[in-house]
Amino acid sequence: EVQLVESGGGLVQPGGSLRLSCAASGFTFDKYAMTWVRQAPGKGLEWVSGINPGGDATDYANSVKGRFTISRDNAKSTVSLQMNSLKAEDTAGYFCTATTGSFPYAYWGQGTQVTVSS
C-alpha cells in the first residue's frame, strides 16, 4: 500500500523555524519527484516546493524562496522541508506529494498542520 506520512508540524512564533518530514513507502521513491503543497484556512492549494528524483534540482514558490529548503534522502525514502523565518501567512496544512510526468501528483500524504502565531 502506498503511504506518505508527514510529521513535524506544530505551533511556532513568527520568525521561528520548523522542519517537516515525509516518510514514503509502497512505491519506487527514487523514480518520483517530490513536492510540498499547502492549504491555508479558507484558501485553495498552493504549491510550495519541489525536488527532482535525484535530489540535485529544486524549485520554490516566490512566497517561500530564501526561507524554505527542500531535501530528500532516497536511501531512507524521505523528503523534508526546512522552514525558517516563519510568517503568520505560512499557517497552513502541509502535504507532501509524489509525482511523475505520466502520473502527476499521484500520491498525497494526510498532511501536517503548521500554525505561526504570536
mmCIF file of all heavy atoms in Angstrom, residues 40-79:
data_model
loop_
_atom_site.group_PDB
_atom_site.id
_atom_site.type_symbol
_atom_site.label_atom_id
_atom_site.label_comp_id
_atom_site.label_asym_id
_atom_site.label_seq_id
_atom_site.Cartn_x
_atom_site.Cartn_y
_atom_site.Cartn_z
ATOM 1 N N ALA A 40 -3.908 27.040 3.208
ATOM 2 C CA ALA A 40 -4.185 27.937 4.313
ATOM 3 C C ALA A 40 -5.686 27.953 4.587
ATOM 4 O O ALA A 40 -6.492 27.611 3.713
ATOM 5 C CB ALA A 40 -3.683 29.338 3.993
ATOM 6 N N PRO A 41 -6.083 28.371 5.794
ATOM 7 C CA PRO A 41 -7.513 28.415 6.117
ATOM 8 C C PRO A 41 -8.305 29.243 5.110
ATOM 9 O O PRO A 41 -7.945 30.386 4.814
ATOM 10 C CB PRO A 41 -7.532 29.069 7.501
ATOM 11 C CG PRO A 41 -6.198 28.753 8.090
ATOM 12 C CD PRO A 41 -5.242 28.778 6.928
ATOM 13 N N GLY A 42 -9.353 28.663 4.569
ATOM 14 C CA GLY A 42 -10.216 29.349 3.628
ATOM 15 C C GLY A 42 -9.629 29.563 2.246
ATOM 16 O O GLY A 42 -10.239 30.266 1.439
ATOM 17 N N LYS A 43 -8.479 28.966 1.966
ATOM 18 C CA LYS A 43 -7.813 29.172 0.678
ATOM 19 C C LYS A 43 -7.651 27.847 -0.068
ATOM 20 O O LYS A 43 -7.844 26.762 0.477
ATOM 21 C CB LYS A 43 -6.450 29.822 0.883
ATOM 22 C CG LYS A 43 -6.484 31.085 1.710
ATOM 23 C CD LYS A 43 -5.984 32.275 0.948
ATOM 24 C CE LYS A 43 -6.051 33.534 1.802
ATOM 25 N NZ LYS A 43 -5.424 34.692 1.110
ATOM 26 N N GLY A 44 -7.267 27.947 -1.324
ATOM 27 C CA GLY A 44 -7.013 26.772 -2.128
ATOM 28 C C GLY A 44 -5.613 26.224 -1.934
ATOM 29 O O GLY A 44 -4.816 26.736 -1.149
ATOM 30 N N LEU A 45 -5.314 25.174 -2.663
ATOM 31 C CA LEU A 45 -3.994 24.557 -2.593
ATOM 32 C C LEU A 45 -2.949 25.452 -3.239
ATOM 33 O O LEU A 45 -3.182 26.040 -4.293
ATOM 34 C CB LEU A 45 -4.018 23.201 -3.289
ATOM 35 C CG LEU A 45 -4.884 22.119 -2.631
ATOM 36 C CD1 LEU A 45 -5.015 20.915 -3.556
ATOM 37 C CD2 LEU A 45 -4.290 21.695 -1.295
ATOM 38 N N GLU A 46 -1.789 25.535 -2.604
ATOM 39 C CA GLU A 46 -0.672 26.320 -3.115
ATOM 40 C C GLU A 46 0.571 25.444 -3.174
ATOM 41 O O GLU A 46 0.999 24.897 -2.157
ATOM 42 C CB GLU A 46 -0.405 27.534 -2.220
ATOM 43 C CG GLU A 46 0.787 28.371 -2.672
ATOM 44 C CD GLU A 46 1.199 29.439 -1.672
ATOM 45 O OE1 GLU A 46 0.761 29.380 -0.503
ATOM 46 O OE2 GLU A 46 1.959 30.352 -2.059
ATOM 47 N N TRP A 47 1.157 25.313 -4.351
ATOM 48 C CA TRP A 47 2.419 24.612 -4.487
ATOM 49 C C TRP A 47 3.517 25.402 -3.793
ATOM 50 O O TRP A 47 3.641 26.612 -3.975
ATOM 51 C CB TRP A 47 2.753 24.426 -5.975
ATOM 52 C CG TRP A 47 4.063 23.760 -6.228
ATOM 53 C CD1 TRP A 47 4.315 22.429 -6.274
ATOM 54 C CD2 TRP A 47 5.311 24.419 -6.476
ATOM 55 N NE1 TRP A 47 5.645 22.196 -6.539
ATOM 56 C CE2 TRP A 47 6.274 23.403 -6.670
ATOM 57 C CE3 TRP A 47 5.703 25.754 -6.566
ATOM 58 C CZ2 TRP A 47 7.610 23.686 -6.940
ATOM 59 C CZ3 TRP A 47 7.028 26.035 -6.831
ATOM 60 C CH2 TRP A 47 7.965 25.010 -7.015
ATOM 61 N N VAL A 48 4.336 24.719 -3.004
ATOM 62 C CA VAL A 48 5.357 25.376 -2.194
ATOM 63 C C VAL A 48 6.758 25.118 -2.733
ATOM 64 O O VAL A 48 7.557 26.039 -2.897
ATOM 65 C CB VAL A 48 5.271 24.914 -0.727
ATOM 66 C CG1 VAL A 48 6.426 25.482 0.094
ATOM 67 C CG2 VAL A 48 3.929 25.329 -0.120
ATOM 68 N N SER A 49 7.077 23.846 -2.993
ATOM 69 C CA SER A 49 8.435 23.485 -3.374
ATOM 70 C C SER A 49 8.443 22.118 -4.030
ATOM 71 O O SER A 49 7.539 21.306 -3.814
ATOM 72 C CB SER A 49 9.345 23.477 -2.137
ATOM 73 O OG SER A 49 10.692 23.218 -2.484
ATOM 74 N N GLY A 50 9.480 21.852 -4.829
ATOM 75 C CA GLY A 50 9.646 20.558 -5.450
ATOM 76 C C GLY A 50 11.101 20.180 -5.571
ATOM 77 O O GLY A 50 11.978 21.044 -5.594
ATOM 78 N N ILE A 51 11.350 18.876 -5.667
ATOM 79 C CA ILE A 51 12.698 18.351 -5.814
ATOM 80 C C ILE A 51 12.652 17.174 -6.778
ATOM 81 O O ILE A 51 11.726 16.365 -6.742
ATOM 82 C CB ILE A 51 13.286 17.960 -4.437
ATOM 83 C CG1 ILE A 51 14.764 17.574 -4.558
ATOM 84 C CG2 ILE A 51 12.479 16.843 -3.780
ATOM 85 C CD1 ILE A 51 15.471 17.522 -3.204
ATOM 86 N N ASN A 52 13.636 17.088 -7.670
ATOM 87 C CA ASN A 52 13.645 16.047 -8.683
ATOM 88 C C ASN A 52 14.032 14.700 -8.077
ATOM 89 O O ASN A 52 14.481 14.627 -6.937
ATOM 90 C CB ASN A 52 14.571 16.437 -9.841
ATOM 91 C CG ASN A 52 16.044 16.369 -9.477
ATOM 92 O OD1 ASN A 52 16.431 16.609 -8.336
ATOM 93 N ND2 ASN A 52 16.874 16.037 -10.457
ATOM 94 N N PRO A 53 13.833 13.606 -8.822
ATOM 95 C CA PRO A 53 14.097 12.277 -8.239
ATOM 96 C C PRO A 53 15.512 12.103 -7.689
ATOM 97 O O PRO A 53 15.684 11.457 -6.653
ATOM 98 C CB PRO A 53 13.834 11.324 -9.412
ATOM 99 C CG PRO A 53 12.806 12.023 -10.226
ATOM 100 C CD PRO A 53 13.194 13.477 -10.155
ATOM 101 N N GLY A 54 16.510 12.651 -8.372
ATOM 102 C CA GLY A 54 17.886 12.513 -7.922
ATOM 103 C C GLY A 54 18.271 13.435 -6.789
ATOM 104 O O GLY A 54 19.345 13.263 -6.201
ATOM 105 N N GLY A 55 17.441 14.418 -6.489
ATOM 106 C CA GLY A 55 17.717 15.326 -5.390
ATOM 107 C C GLY A 55 18.709 16.425 -5.705
ATOM 108 O O GLY A 55 19.165 17.115 -4.789
ATOM 109 N N ASP A 56 19.035 16.626 -6.975
ATOM 110 C CA ASP A 56 20.015 17.637 -7.353
ATOM 111 C C ASP A 56 19.409 18.852 -8.059
ATOM 112 O O ASP A 56 20.143 19.662 -8.625
ATOM 113 C CB ASP A 56 21.127 17.022 -8.214
ATOM 114 C CG ASP A 56 20.618 16.355 -9.477
ATOM 115 O OD1 ASP A 56 19.389 16.266 -9.662
ATOM 116 O OD2 ASP A 56 21.460 15.916 -10.288
ATOM 117 N N ALA A 57 18.085 18.977 -8.030
ATOM 118 C CA ALA A 57 17.415 20.146 -8.584
ATOM 119 C C ALA A 57 16.192 20.455 -7.740
ATOM 120 O O ALA A 57 15.405 19.557 -7.435
ATOM 121 C CB ALA A 57 17.010 19.912 -10.040
ATOM 122 N N THR A 58 16.044 21.716 -7.369
ATOM 123 C CA THR A 58 14.931 22.133 -6.525
ATOM 124 C C THR A 58 14.300 23.398 -7.071
ATOM 125 O O THR A 58 14.906 24.133 -7.861
ATOM 126 C CB THR A 58 15.391 22.394 -5.079
ATOM 127 O OG1 THR A 58 16.379 23.437 -5.070
ATOM 128 C CG2 THR A 58 16.000 21.137 -4.469
ATOM 129 N N ASP A 59 13.078 23.668 -6.634
ATOM 130 C CA ASP A 59 12.392 24.895 -7.003
ATOM 131 C C ASP A 59 11.449 25.282 -5.878
ATOM 132 O O ASP A 59 11.017 24.435 -5.100
ATOM 133 C CB ASP A 59 11.631 24.726 -8.314
ATOM 134 C CG ASP A 59 11.411 26.048 -9.045
ATOM 135 O OD1 ASP A 59 11.867 27.096 -8.558
ATOM 136 O OD2 ASP A 59 10.770 26.027 -10.114
ATOM 137 N N TYR A 60 11.130 26.588 -5.811
ATOM 138 C CA TYR A 60 10.335 27.127 -4.720
ATOM 139 C C TYR A 60 9.351 28.168 -5.219
ATOM 140 O O TYR A 60 9.627 28.901 -6.173
ATOM 141 C CB TYR A 60 11.237 27.789 -3.672
ATOM 142 C CG TYR A 60 12.258 26.858 -3.085
ATOM 143 C CD1 TYR A 60 13.511 26.710 -3.666
ATOM 144 C CD2 TYR A 60 11.961 26.110 -1.945
ATOM 145 C CE1 TYR A 60 14.446 25.838 -3.133
ATOM 146 C CE2 TYR A 60 12.894 25.240 -1.407
ATOM 147 C CZ TYR A 60 14.130 25.111 -2.009
ATOM 148 O OH TYR A 60 15.056 24.240 -1.470
ATOM 149 N N ALA A 61 8.211 28.250 -4.550
ATOM 150 C CA ALA A 61 7.313 29.365 -4.774
ATOM 151 C C ALA A 61 7.988 30.654 -4.324
ATOM 152 O O ALA A 61 8.775 30.662 -3.371
ATOM 153 C CB ALA A 61 6.012 29.161 -4.011
ATOM 154 N N ASN A 62 7.675 31.752 -5.000
ATOM 155 C CA ASN A 62 8.280 33.032 -4.631
ATOM 156 C C ASN A 62 8.000 33.412 -3.174
ATOM 157 O O ASN A 62 8.831 34.057 -2.533
ATOM 158 C CB ASN A 62 7.788 34.141 -5.557
ATOM 159 C CG ASN A 62 8.389 34.056 -6.944
ATOM 160 O OD1 ASN A 62 9.476 33.496 -7.137
ATOM 161 N ND2 ASN A 62 7.695 34.609 -7.922
ATOM 162 N N SER A 63 6.862 32.994 -2.665
ATOM 163 C CA SER A 63 6.476 33.355 -1.314
ATOM 164 C C SER A 63 7.366 32.728 -0.240
ATOM 165 O O SER A 63 7.390 33.214 0.896
ATOM 166 C CB SER A 63 5.017 32.972 -1.056
ATOM 167 O OG SER A 63 4.808 31.589 -1.272
ATOM 168 N N VAL A 64 8.089 31.659 -0.585
ATOM 169 C CA VAL A 64 8.934 30.984 0.399
ATOM 170 C C VAL A 64 10.407 30.965 0.013
ATOM 171 O O VAL A 64 11.246 30.516 0.807
ATOM 172 C CB VAL A 64 8.458 29.543 0.671
ATOM 173 C CG1 VAL A 64 6.981 29.514 1.027
ATOM 174 C CG2 VAL A 64 8.741 28.636 -0.527
ATOM 175 N N LYS A 65 10.737 31.450 -1.160
ATOM 176 C CA LYS A 65 12.111 31.421 -1.650
ATOM 177 C C LYS A 65 13.041 32.166 -0.693
ATOM 178 O O LYS A 65 12.752 33.281 -0.269
ATOM 179 C CB LYS A 65 12.172 32.027 -3.052
ATOM 180 C CG LYS A 65 13.453 31.740 -3.807
ATOM 181 C CD LYS A 65 13.319 32.171 -5.277
ATOM 182 C CE LYS A 65 12.236 31.371 -5.989
ATOM 183 N NZ LYS A 65 12.099 31.753 -7.422
ATOM 184 N N GLY A 66 14.150 31.526 -0.363
ATOM 185 C CA GLY A 66 15.102 32.110 0.564
ATOM 186 C C GLY A 66 14.838 31.780 2.012
ATOM 187 O O GLY A 66 15.704 32.015 2.862
ATOM 188 N N ARG A 67 13.659 31.244 2.312
ATOM 189 C CA ARG A 67 13.306 30.892 3.685
ATOM 190 C C ARG A 67 13.158 29.391 3.886
ATOM 191 O O ARG A 67 13.443 28.878 4.969
ATOM 192 C CB ARG A 67 12.002 31.585 4.094
ATOM 193 C CG ARG A 67 12.068 33.097 4.034
ATOM 194 C CD ARG A 67 10.818 33.726 4.638
ATOM 195 N NE ARG A 67 9.610 33.383 3.888
ATOM 196 C CZ ARG A 67 8.567 32.734 4.405
ATOM 197 N NH1 ARG A 67 8.571 32.348 5.680
ATOM 198 N NH2 ARG A 67 7.504 32.476 3.649
ATOM 199 N N PHE A 68 12.700 28.685 2.853
ATOM 200 C CA PHE A 68 12.452 27.244 2.941
ATOM 201 C C PHE A 68 13.487 26.489 2.122
ATOM 202 O O PHE A 68 13.960 26.978 1.086
ATOM 203 C CB PHE A 68 11.066 26.890 2.395
ATOM 204 C CG PHE A 68 9.898 27.340 3.234
ATOM 205 C CD1 PHE A 68 10.047 28.218 4.298
ATOM 206 C CD2 PHE A 68 8.627 26.865 2.937
ATOM 207 C CE1 PHE A 68 8.960 28.626 5.053
ATOM 208 C CE2 PHE A 68 7.526 27.266 3.688
ATOM 209 C CZ PHE A 68 7.700 28.144 4.741
ATOM 210 N N THR A 69 13.816 25.274 2.561
ATOM 211 C CA THR A 69 14.729 24.400 1.834
ATOM 212 C C THR A 69 14.160 22.987 1.791
ATOM 213 O O THR A 69 13.863 22.405 2.833
ATOM 214 C CB THR A 69 16.119 24.364 2.487
ATOM 215 O OG1 THR A 69 16.655 25.693 2.570
ATOM 216 C CG2 THR A 69 17.074 23.502 1.657
ATOM 217 N N ILE A 70 14.022 22.446 0.586
ATOM 218 C CA ILE A 70 13.555 21.077 0.417
ATOM 219 C C ILE A 70 14.759 20.158 0.215
ATOM 220 O O ILE A 70 15.758 20.543 -0.397
ATOM 221 C CB ILE A 70 12.564 20.971 -0.762
ATOM 222 C CG1 ILE A 70 11.872 19.605 -0.790
ATOM 223 C CG2 ILE A 70 13.253 21.265 -2.098
ATOM 224 C CD1 ILE A 70 10.726 19.518 -1.802
ATOM 225 N N SER A 71 14.665 18.939 0.735
ATOM 226 C CA SER A 71 15.721 17.957 0.552
ATOM 227 C C SER A 71 15.107 16.560 0.574
ATOM 228 O O SER A 71 13.965 16.381 0.995
ATOM 229 C CB SER A 71 16.804 18.095 1.626
ATOM 230 O OG SER A 71 16.265 17.893 2.920
ATOM 231 N N ARG A 72 15.872 15.578 0.106
ATOM 232 C CA ARG A 72 15.386 14.201 0.147
ATOM 233 C C ARG A 72 16.529 13.250 0.446
ATOM 234 O O ARG A 72 17.701 13.553 0.184
ATOM 235 C CB ARG A 72 14.697 13.813 -1.167
ATOM 236 C CG ARG A 72 15.623 13.712 -2.367
ATOM 237 C CD ARG A 72 14.823 13.579 -3.669
ATOM 238 N NE ARG A 72 14.057 12.338 -3.724
ATOM 239 C CZ ARG A 72 13.011 12.135 -4.523
ATOM 240 N NH1 ARG A 72 12.595 13.113 -5.328
ATOM 241 N NH2 ARG A 72 12.381 10.975 -4.517
ATOM 242 N N ASP A 73 16.177 12.110 1.000
ATOM 243 C CA ASP A 73 17.122 11.045 1.285
ATOM 244 C C ASP A 73 16.547 9.785 0.651
ATOM 245 O O ASP A 73 15.648 9.154 1.210
ATOM 246 C CB ASP A 73 17.319 10.876 2.786
ATOM 247 C CG ASP A 73 18.387 9.859 3.132
ATOM 248 O OD1 ASP A 73 18.719 9.007 2.293
ATOM 249 O OD2 ASP A 73 18.904 9.921 4.270
ATOM 250 N N ASN A 74 17.044 9.429 -0.527
ATOM 251 C CA ASN A 74 16.479 8.295 -1.246
ATOM 252 C C ASN A 74 16.753 6.961 -0.548
ATOM 253 O O ASN A 74 15.989 6.014 -0.702
ATOM 254 C CB ASN A 74 16.995 8.264 -2.681
ATOM 255 C CG ASN A 74 16.341 9.326 -3.547
ATOM 256 O OD1 ASN A 74 15.328 9.913 -3.163
ATOM 257 N ND2 ASN A 74 16.912 9.570 -4.718
ATOM 258 N N ALA A 75 17.844 6.882 0.208
ATOM 259 C CA ALA A 75 18.134 5.662 0.943
ATOM 260 C C ALA A 75 17.099 5.403 2.027
ATOM 261 O O ALA A 75 16.820 4.250 2.361
ATOM 262 C CB ALA A 75 19.532 5.725 1.551
ATOM 263 N N LYS A 76 16.527 6.476 2.571
ATOM 264 C CA LYS A 76 15.520 6.361 3.616
ATOM 265 C C LYS A 76 14.106 6.604 3.111
ATOM 266 O O LYS A 76 13.150 6.505 3.890
ATOM 267 C CB LYS A 76 15.833 7.327 4.755
ATOM 268 C CG LYS A 76 17.137 7.045 5.463
ATOM 269 C CD LYS A 76 17.394 8.047 6.566
ATOM 270 C CE LYS A 76 18.682 7.742 7.297
ATOM 271 N NZ LYS A 76 18.975 8.739 8.353
ATOM 272 N N SER A 77 13.951 6.940 1.835
ATOM 273 C CA SER A 77 12.652 7.257 1.238
ATOM 274 C C SER A 77 11.935 8.355 2.017
ATOM 275 O O SER A 77 10.761 8.225 2.385
ATOM 276 C CB SER A 77 11.776 5.999 1.135
ATOM 277 O OG SER A 77 12.347 5.058 0.244
ATOM 278 N N THR A 78 12.650 9.436 2.267
ATOM 279 C CA THR A 78 12.074 10.569 2.973
ATOM 280 C C THR A 78 12.344 11.867 2.227
ATOM 281 O O THR A 78 13.326 11.988 1.493
ATOM 282 C CB THR A 78 12.621 10.707 4.399
ATOM 283 O OG1 THR A 78 14.038 10.900 4.360
ATOM 284 C CG2 THR A 78 12.300 9.482 5.238
ATOM 285 N N VAL A 79 11.466 12.829 2.426
ATOM 286 C CA VAL A 79 11.649 14.182 1.928
ATOM 287 C C VAL A 79 11.357 15.133 3.075
ATOM 288 O O VAL A 79 10.475 14.861 3.900
ATOM 289 C CB VAL A 79 10.755 14.463 0.693
ATOM 290 C CG1 VAL A 79 9.276 14.324 1.037
ATOM 291 C CG2 VAL A 79 11.050 15.840 0.108
#
